[in-house]
Amino acid sequence: MCMKRMLISGNEAVAYGAIDAGCRFYAGYPITPSSEIMHMMAKLLPEHGGVFIQAEDELAAINMLIGASWAGLKAMTATSGPGFSLMQEGIGYAVMTETPLVVVDVMRAGPATGQATKAAQGDLMQARWGRHGDQYLVVLAPESPQEAYDLIIEAFNISESLRTPVVFLSDEFIGHGREVVFRKDPEEIQLVERRRPSDHEPLFGSDDPRIPPPMPRLGDGYYVLVTGSTHNEYGYRDVHSFETHYRLVKRLKEKIWGNIDKIFKYEVVGDPEGAEKAVVCFGSTCRSAKEAIEGMDDVVLIRLITLWPLNYDLLRKLLSNVSLILVPELSLGQLIYDVQQVVDSDVKVIGVNKVGGGVPIYPSEIKEALKG
Amino acid sequence: MCMKRMLISGNEAVAYGAIDAGCRFYAGYPITPSSEIMHMMAKLLPEHGGVFIQAEDELAAINMLIGASWAGLKAMTATSGPGFSLMQEGIGYAVMTETPLVVVDVMRAGPATGQATKAAQGDLMQARWGRHGDQYLVVLAPESPQEAYDLIIEAFNISESLRTPVVFLSDEFIGHGREVVFRKDPEEIQLVERRRPSDHEPLFGSDDPRIPPPMPRLGDGYYVLVTGSTHNEYGYRDVHSFETHYRLVKRLKEKIWGNIDKIFKYEVVGDPEGAEKAVVCFGSTCRSAKEAIEGMDDVVLIRLITLWPLNYDLLRKLLSNVSLILVPELSLGQLIYDVQQVVDSDVKVIGVNKVGGGVPIYPSEIKEALKG
Amino acid sequence: MFSIAYLGRGGQGIVFAATITAEALYEKGYYVAQLQNYGASVRGGSVLGYVVADNKPIKNPFVEVFDVMIALHEEGLKRWKCLVEKSKKIIVDEKLVKSEVSGAIKVPLSSIAEEEGVYQALNLVAVRLAFKVLGITGIDEVMDKLLKNRKNYDLNKKAYMIGKEIVIFRDFGTE
Amino acid sequence: MFSIAYLGRGGQGIVFAATITAEALYEKGYYVAQLQNYGASVRGGSVLGYVVADNKPIKNPFVEVFDVMIALHEEGLKRWKCLVEKSKKIIVDEKLVKSEVSGAIKVPLSSIAEEEGVYQALNLVAVRLAFKVLGITGIDEVMDKLLKNRKNYDLNKKAYMIGKEIVIFRDFGTE
Amino acid sequence: MSGHEHPSLKYMRKEVLPTAFCPGCFNGIVMNALFQAFEELEILDLKKYVFVSGIGCSSWIPSPYIKADSLHTLHGRAIPVATGVKLANPDLEVIVIGGDGDLASIGGNHLLHAARRNMDLVVIMINNLVYGMTRGQAAPTTPKGMITPTTPYGNPEEPMDVARLLASTNANYVAKWCISQYMFLKNSFKKVLGEIKRGFRFIEVYAPCTTFVIRRENKTPGQKLKELMNTCIGLEKLEKMPREERTKYIPTGVFKENDKPGFIDNYRQYVSISKR
Amino acid sequence: MSGHEHPSLKYMRKEVLPTAFCPGCFNGIVMNALFQAFEELEILDLKKYVFVSGIGCSSWIPSPYIKADSLHTLHGRAIPVATGVKLANPDLEVIVIGGDGDLASIGGNHLLHAARRNMDLVVIMINNLVYGMTRGQAAPTTPKGMITPTTPYGNPEEPMDVARLLASTNANYVAKWCISQYMFLKNSFKKVLGEIKRGFRFIEVYAPCTTFVIRRENKTPGQKLKELMNTCIGLEKLEKMPREERTKYIPTGVFKENDKPGFIDNYRQYVSISKR
Amino acid sequence: MSKVFTVEVNGLLCKGCGICSEICPRGALVMDGVNSETGYPNPKIVGECVGCKLCMWFCPDQAIVVIKKG
Amino acid sequence: MSKVFTVEVNGLLCKGCGICSEICPRGALVMDGVNSETGYPNPKIVGECVGCKLCMWFCPDQAIVVIKKG
Ligand SMILES: Cc1ncc(C[n+]2csc(CCOP(=O)(O)OP(=O)(O)O)c2C)c(N)n1
Ligand SMILES: Cc1ncc(C[n+]2csc(CCOP(=O)(O)OP(=O)(O)O)c2C)c(N)n1
Ligand code: SF4
Ligand code: SF4
Ligand code: SF4
Ligand code: SF4
């Protein structure tokens, strides 16, 4: 084992992780607090035989990724709130066409332009639901620069193995915070590559919806038909029939939800059986939360690393013994909806909400709130 | 009383309703199945002293509305899924700057281009959460052309009285379905106009968050500062302080949720006390549901007309006696999350989901599902 | 309440048939609801257009069991088989509809229209037939007015009146 | 674990102070986390930059109680009053910080810097002072290397070494 | 019938014919010209060609009718998707086909910036003067005064001259032809597929929508074709006419032509610097 | 000090000064020229002027520094917002101020279509050659070869000449000046505010970013200003030079000027038809 | 009728738009009846084909080919 | 020093960019010390001002005005 120790920001960690994951295409548009990812990719990609392009806007960026992905490269972009909003239509197209790619959203305080340099976690629901129609994708969130590095590799692996866009929710604290990060040795990293088709396998359908269809590269001679309109398993557009549409969207949903066991990552601190109280959190906020509950035997902390698909059953089980649940969020409260959904009305669910000014939620605030 | 009887589509009904609500500005971009709203506005507005413009894209359209609204006109646009996705950033800006306007989304089957001429209800979650950051607005959904006419007037009234964008979720069935619609006499219609400022009232703040600040017209001499960045009550940008940001976003949330009594509209068919089963639905789907439950004493139907903010407490109360809940949706299931949230885990919640091909959910399917 | 559906193929004017049916019934004072289903392509593909009418407001326009369905082309019939099977009465064009539907009444609508030189207005033949089958009377005058406001009045009118003469081998009541 | 925060105003190089502090400690083998908070504007506004260091991985970088805070300008101090009040030690510039903070040690950092002609590198004076107060030894060599890789070595180095000489009227231990 | 086949068919997915275009839609003629160009260049298989289109009638040409890889993308986004393809694999020849609405209205920004970058793409814009797919609304190319569903009193807006605009960018090749100028069009395709093989190459085809333009004028597509044979006129010829005369004609021809390094060439050089 | 005030200050919100711009940022000079134009036109209060900007350093000029109504909109969307304002109340004079990134990159499509429509707006584009606010990344105006955080090996892309491009649209007025050409700039502002009062009027100001362009060149803003006094040169003068010489200079001047009816005029006529 | 050239029409592809017959410089094609498979009229050769292939290139539906006899 | 013109500097607005002193055709302005309020050097008049107002128009911070004496 030969890890490389570095003092880098979470944004830089994302870039290194992407390179190590085999990402060879980046298109993006500058926006605070994500730009350092772009700067680092601009530097690294040409050296690594990859392609970097600064797009004219975020609409172009996300669509360039789609083209590059179909041409065979692993592709990533990074942005923040306003740019993420502009990318929604393109992300939906990637869902529909099963185009693997990774979109990093380094969250800042919104809505609109809000506070560009201040951390927030208010894009959670948008990451899940920001696009029109029935669409499902994967949302991951790291808690630290080190995890940003490790998890972005995982993001590419999920994206490639499931042929799906993955949204990677970082935030300004992680993005601009510099910490010691260990970069893995290439041999240590397990990479998953998209499956190439054999023979006349359909490219847009499969008997088992949990198994994504294979994906050729453009130019491989498959005469691929890629379309964001409703299509059958061979890619032919069918904008008329119920069966084709329903089969397609059901399969796309099932592809994500049916693989929840593989996708769903979380961390439990403490003993869910014995605990009376729980803290449910995601992202950088969890680090304060973890400090807060140190030494508290009656509290269990559940950190969601995968935010979508969400394993509701598991969450329900983990929370089945507690009577008080704290949900600290750097927003007015979004994850709290999930918690409310899995517990019965007699459980007290309290949000610890704070956003703006680049002020984190402090351990003391969580401690205080845990008093009930 | 002197109603005008007309045989028109839901799309045309929206246009007539908008005119009757005092809408005098329309900017849009054609998209099936919403275009007839645009065509009708193109015809009606010049005659009514209003302004119509075909924008170069949906980004332009929503932003033109923002300008027109600040210049003093009631403004509307209509679109469908792909265009709605492109408008998200602009809608978020309207939330942040408290700009009244109405966005009609005539839902079709997605994701991406999907099936352009086929009805769906899959943009519900996007209507609520499609934008980045902490933002709240109002979402309404009619069930028929007649209600499209009546409710769009209400949409403008809410928009003006709360200084908020309102999303109006129609669907292809309503939009293209032609029915007999009664158009109201101008005198019959109660219109709400945005409040103009007096003296040096702050234009972006109020002591009681439920009371929106007044809104001048550009050119009125107020030297208005409108910004989508975090701002204090006088419109000055403050992208640094926690207090300014938190106060602003909390107020914007409270403005919507604190007025839930005024905004939240719903219809109950049957007796919630006596019922053992319930159907919860919205939009055109409710019409089949209503037929389905005709004569069933043990079933109560709850139709949500306002989909956001959602009166969870009320819904919980209405559903407190039932043991089976059906949620029919022309999607893979979105409203069902709300229902799951308000009921305990021992209540059976079943989705009746269908989407694509322009096939409605039929009464028989709901009847069948009600058997449990 | 009664309902009538037209089934066919893009280019046959199915939506127009539903539209004018709805308008005529509307003029007669009915509450009506008209819905349609067609593809995105400019031609071809199956088309369904239907009308529900009642003396009171239409509660639910999503009809599963039609009083009458008239199928002018195989494509429309195939696509909506599920509805066709439940329909109370089903009339199909002898030539353009190929599949067998139990209980369907075959009528040589298109052949007659071709003979009479009104093939392009086959949809209006069907409209008149629908009124006949549904037993709706006194509607020709209204229809005449509606057709006058549109292009190709002579052709359309001729086709429409042919529908009145179509003989079918089951009795659907008299006008 | 120990922590040090620099407070100031845009243009004073507060983030750079935190950056180089973090890098020096990193070179010494510590686990470090460095965070900062500044406005969007290119100049002015309050700035906070801080570093946490430990022999084991940093669990939580969101520090509420700093071991030392050094405030080089009123703006930074005012903005982060809540943290300043909890801080174990607080050192403020005698001239540039105006408000009174209980327990704060006033040091004429900026005056000394001006006298010595290193006003623009006041931040580095603060960095050396921070090491001193925290009792971190043997770090000057590392810092020298880091400064050498940057512009204005002579000025920066001079400022940095001045920090070593600053006399404060409470004892924070010896190096 | 002895089974002779139209020469275009060998480039098409026969199983999905006839196309979904309206009877007499000129889109099919553009296909013929394109395929004839391929044939004359002796390119008989399109495996290494990638077609990218947006949303609109003309965007259906490659998807599904052309037997090649095709990406049928979002409305207005064909050019960025095509850019991504080309950058990721410069060995592929990437051709964008789309409508005036798709490429010049909602997609206008990408068109502009791809031209600025001299991005190595062939872009074929079929200007049918309206939004065909959504039933004939005005486009940015719709002539002033034309009545459409969104301009019921006669379009108040000035149309844009896309080819002329692009001629003032870094694009390598810009031409405009009427659909009636079949041979010029075909030769233009040959030029950008066989000769100038890099940089941004743009060909506008003026081809009014049969259903929503020609029919509204009470003409048949054949009549319109013959009319265009008289009204479409070469740039040079036009410039020799008196000013007042000119407005009656549609100027066509090659607006710009050169063979400067495209983005790919420049990017390769850029990468070589990074490796130094 | 006896309290003499800079003439610009009467148009500014003094309570928020000094501005948040970097020391030596040329944005402030553009303000001076604009305000002097107003003053010379004897327009002393800007109540009937609405300023609209997007996101970027230059977009902060009106918000909050100009004492007038201002809409500080989303990145790239100033022009559609301004269009909405103008259409809703044509009595207001609407002025857009923004950066090259804002107006020509992400906002490029709106720029193009507003120019096509000859929309009645004044648009001032401050071309600082980079994205200032986000710390100096390349813009579509960045010269080839320039090193920025997103072009670490020297920008491989060709820049765009925005004024030249717009000159080939329906816009009424297109001019470009260097910040060093203060008097020309001021007079250009006077022209579009006092004389040509309709249609699309575009003024590009070439004003390199002090922090991310000039400093990277190790120059002071004053040095750069003096340098520009030599390198910015009138269009006519330039055309008289030998070709090889030209590339050393930045061509400035009035690219286009006329006073044709703008969109508002055309729309008024359109409405009058609807009422017949 | 030409001795050398004639046309062949693919009735399944032809949509009866009439372009071929209008564009033919010799007026050699007329639109004829209704194709019962498609409902569209198809062109029929009635005059002399000189083999210019205009109909072929201008047929938007690849439905007509010009062939050499024999 | 000029008899007719001089300049007045607003020390709170001046950011010490030096444009005025560099642009002055007479070299009449020099940058001077550090303004203790702002931390920036401010210009000071040392030569003859001819009243051309270049410094005024080119000052990006509206910090310097040219005034007629007396
Ligand atoms: C974002 C978005 N907006 C609008 C539409 C609806 N739409 C589909 S095609 C089209 C325009 C087609 O016009 P054009 O691009 O000129 O192609 P044509 O059909 O005329 O060939 C529009 C507006 C869409 N699909 N997506
Ligand atoms: C949709 C969106 N994308 C990106 C950004 C980030 N952003 C803010 S300003 C800016 C560019 C500024 O450059 P320019 O418009 O040239 O103005 P300047 O700052 O150079 O004056 C960018 C990319 C944003 N705010 N919104
Ligand atoms: S609508 Fe127009 S462009 Fe579209 S297929 Fe028909 S004729 Fe062609
Ligand atoms: S970054 Fe550049 S453009 Fe922005 S304020 Fe500073 S000098 Fe001006
Ligand atoms: S041009 Fe082609 S499609 Fe049209 S009538 Fe002739 S053969 Fe048929
Ligand atoms: S130009 Fe203005 S800001 Fe710059 S030094 Fe002179 S007075 Fe100060």
Side-chain angles (χ1 to χ4, degrees), chain B residues 212-226:
Chain B
M215 183 173 175
R217 278 176 311 217
L218 299 175
D220 277 356
Y222 286 86
Y223 302 124
V224 191
L225 278 171
V226 183

Side-chain angles (χ1 to χ4, degrees), chain C residues 77-110:
Chain C
L77 185 97
K78 242 175 30 205
R79 165 77 152 88
W80 295 98
K81 201 124 198 184
C82 52
L83 294 181
V84 168
E85 279 162 359
K86 292 184 201 151
S87 178
K88 292 190 195 151
K89 283 166 200 160
I90 165 77
I91 297 169
V92 303
D93 185 82
E94 201 177 54
K95 207 168 104 191
L96 298 173
V97 171
K98 267 135 204 166
S99 39
E100 289 294 329
V101 182
S102 81
I105 303 151
K106 293 184 186 173
V107 183
L109 288 170
S110 63

Side-chain angles (χ1 to χ4, degrees), chain D residues 30-63:
Chain D
Y30 285 104
Y31 283 88
V32 295
Q34 172 208 337
L35 277 151
Q36 50 272 321
N37 190 303
Y38 49 81
S41 58
V42 182
R43 53 164 289 281
S46 74
V47 184
L48 160 71
Y50 71 80
V51 179
V52 199
D54 203 342
N55 294 319
K56 33 187 214 314
I58 309 293
K59 282 192 189 158
N60 179 26
F62 302 120
V63 179

Side-chain angles (χ1 to χ4, degrees), chain A residues 86-305:
Chain A
L86 288 175
M87 288 183 185
Q88 295 303 326
E89 196 201 12
I91 295 171
Y93 179 88
V95 170
M96 187 66 150
T97 53
E98 301 177 74
T99 306
L101 50 84
V102 175
V103 177
V104 180
D105 173 14
V106 185
M107 293 183 284
R108 65 188 221 186
T113 318
Q115 293 188 320
T117 60
K118 308 304 178 197
Q121 300 184 305
D123 303 353
L124 168 59
M125 285 302 233
Q126 184 191 27
R128 296 173 175 175
W129 295 113
R131 302 143 293 281
H132 63 278
D134 283 295
Q135 49 72 43
Y136 295 87
L137 43 60
V138 177
V139 181
L140 304 176
E143 63 167 351
S144 66
Q146 178 67 56
E147 195 175 47
Y149 172 82
D150 295 327
L151 195 62
I152 196 83
I153 297 175
E154 192 59 31
F156 276 96
N157 283 348
I158 292 174
S159 173
E160 293 291 320
S161 67
L162 292 187
R163 256 186 80 178
T164 179
V166 172
V167 173
F168 193 81
L169 286 182
S170 178
D171 68 43
E172 195 271 345
F173 286 135
I174 299 170
H176 283 165
R178 295 210 307 163
E179 297 194 27
V180 176
V181 171
F182 291 91
R183 186 176 178 186
K184 291 205 181 93
D185 201 56
E187 285 112 68
E188 261 186 286
I189 304 173
Q190 280 239 324
L191 292 187
V192 182
E193 308 295 331
R194 59 188 79 163
R195 191 164 63 86
R196 304 252 171 255
S198 58
D199 285 330
H200 293 291
E201 249 185 303
L203 307 177
F204 298 95
S206 63
D207 294 333
D208 182 343
R210 285 167 309 171
I211 300 171
M215 184 172 174
R217 277 176 311 215
L218 299 176
D220 277 356
Y222 286 86
Y223 302 124
V224 191
L225 277 171
V226 183
T227 177
S229 294
T230 299
H231 47 273
N232 70 13
E233 56 266 51
Y234 295 99
Y236 284 101
R237 192 169 42 239
D238 176 356
V239 293
H240 204 33
S241 103
F242 167 74
E243 288 72 21
T244 310
H245 187 78
Y246 197 62
R247 196 183 330 118
L248 175 63
V249 294
K250 281 278 280 187
R251 179 176 67 75
L252 293 180
K253 180 175 183 179
E254 194 54 24
K255 189 176 75 171
I256 303 298
W257 289 88
N259 281 304
I260 198 161
D261 290 342
K262 280 186 223 153
I263 305 168
F264 191 69
K265 288 175 202 310
Y266 63 103
E267 180 188 0
V268 176
V269 182
D271 170 24
E273 307 285 317
E276 283 153 36
K277 300 174 183 178
V279 178
V280 182
C281 55
F282 77 99
S284 62
T285 301
C286 301
R287 298 178 80 183
S288 274
K290 284 180 184 170
E291 182 181 329
I293 66 154
E294 256 172 36
M296 296 186 181
D297 293 340
D298 60 338
V299 183
V300 62
L301 180 145
I302 299 163
R303 177 166 76 93
L304 300 177
I305 301 168

Side-chain angles (χ1 to χ4, degrees), chain B residues 93 219 223-224 226-227 236-237, chain F residues 15 45 48 63 69-70 72:
Chain B
Y93 180 87
Y223 302 124
V224 191
V226 183
T227 178
Y236 284 101
R237 192 171 40 240
Chain F
E15 67 274 22
D45 183 287
K48 291 295 168 194
S63 176
D69 286 338
S70 76
H72 178 234

